């Protein structure tokens, strides 16, 4: 199969775009940035100014005295309850898979009550400007306290739906990396075939 130079260049550019674009659209946030998932960090302040979208990933990095529990709003407010999911091991990635508010706490006694809890409002993925999905989350950054953010996300029915039905199976943090390698591998095979 012979191709002229322009067709080869166009095919190569298309393959590169297909390999790079998925990684460029999703963002991985290290919770707490350099302070990580730790006592003494103001996670309400950390969330401000960030727009979390479906497809983004939260990465929790923490020491052996901490862990991460995904909880509903009641569990977040009370620093307890039955967790939706539990994570330990020092490095946890959580894919943001649905629109709404996601809640996380450290279940170590006293840590959540001391502020080691996180509420993240997730908006729909968008290829354009965040102007249209931003209005619901605009009230969250403007509100100094975290309890103001859950009503901005919707109704009390939002946490209840998360507590009555199990969440979908979580893809591991490695799955996005594996998928990127698969795309690069397929691109290389197709590119090689085009040049031959």
């Amino acid at each position: 199969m012979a191709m002229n130079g322009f067709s080869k260049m166009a095919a190569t550019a298309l393959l590169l775009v297909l390999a790079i674009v998925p990684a460029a659209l999703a963002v991985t946030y290290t919770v707490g940035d350099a302070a990580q998932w730790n006592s003494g960090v103001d996670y309400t302040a950390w969330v401000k100014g960030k727009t979390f979208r479906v497809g983004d990933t939260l990465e929790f990095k923490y020491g052996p005295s901490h862990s991460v529990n995904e909880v509903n709003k009641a569990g977040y407010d009370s620093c307890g309850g039955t967790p939706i999911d539990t994570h330990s091991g020092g490095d946890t990635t959580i894919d943001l898979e649905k629109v709404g508010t996601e809640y996380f706490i450290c279940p170590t006694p006293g840590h959540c009550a001391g502020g080691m809890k996180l509420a993240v409002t997730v908006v729909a993925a968008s290829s354009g400007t965040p102007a249209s999905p931003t209005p619901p989350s605009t009230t969250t950054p403007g509100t100094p306290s975290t309890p103001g953010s859950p009503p901005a996300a919707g109704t009390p029915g939002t946490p209840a739906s998360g507590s009555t039905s199990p969440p979908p199976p979580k893809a591991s943090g490695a799955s996005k990396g594996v998928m990127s390698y698969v795309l690069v591998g397929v691109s290389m095979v197709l590119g090689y075939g085009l040049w031959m």
Side-chain angles (χ1 to χ4, degrees):
M1 165 189 222
M3 297 182 80
N4 66 29
F6 179 75
S7 296
K8 287 181 185 180
M9 188 169 38
T12 302
L14 176 64
L15 292 174
L16 285 172
V17 167
L18 290 175
I20 293 171
V21 168
L25 294 178
V27 176
T28 298
Y29 293 94
T30 299
V31 174
D33 295 324
Q36 302 179 349
W37 184 238
N38 215 336
S39 299
V41 178
D42 184 352
Y43 293 102
T44 303
W46 178 79
V47 168
K48 288 186 183 185
K50 293 176 176 62
T51 302
F52 300 95
R53 300 186 185 284
V54 171
D56 289 348
T57 300
L58 296 177
E59 183 175 21
F60 291 82
K61 293 184 177 190
Y62 47 94
S65 66
H66 304 297
S67 56
V68 180
N69 279 5
E70 293 180 62
V71 295
N72 60 18
K73 176 158 179 14
Y76 176 84
D77 290 339
S78 69
C79 289
T82 304
I84 296 167
D85 205 353
T86 60
H87 307 276
S88 59
D91 194 358
T92 299
T93 55
I94 297 174
D95 295 331
L96 302 176
E97 299 173 338
K98 63 184 190 306
V99 171
T101 303
E102 301 285 331
Y103 302 95
F104 306 94
I105 64 170
C106 179
T108 303
H111 290 198
C112 176
M116 202 169 166
K117 59 185 188 175
L118 174 68
V120 174
T121 301
V122 182
V123 298
S126 166
S127 59
T129 61
S132 58
T134 300
S137 63
T138 300
T139 56
T140 302
T143 315
S145 64
T146 305
S149 61
T155 65
T158 304
S161 67
S163 63
T164 58
S165 62
K170 302 278 183 201
S172 70
S175 66
K176 285 186 177 182
V178 169
M179 191 60 181
S180 295
Y181 284 117
V182 168
L183 285 172
V184 169
V186 168
S187 298
M188 291 174 66
V189 168
L190 289 174
Y192 179 76
L194 291 173
W195 291 107
M196 296 328 256

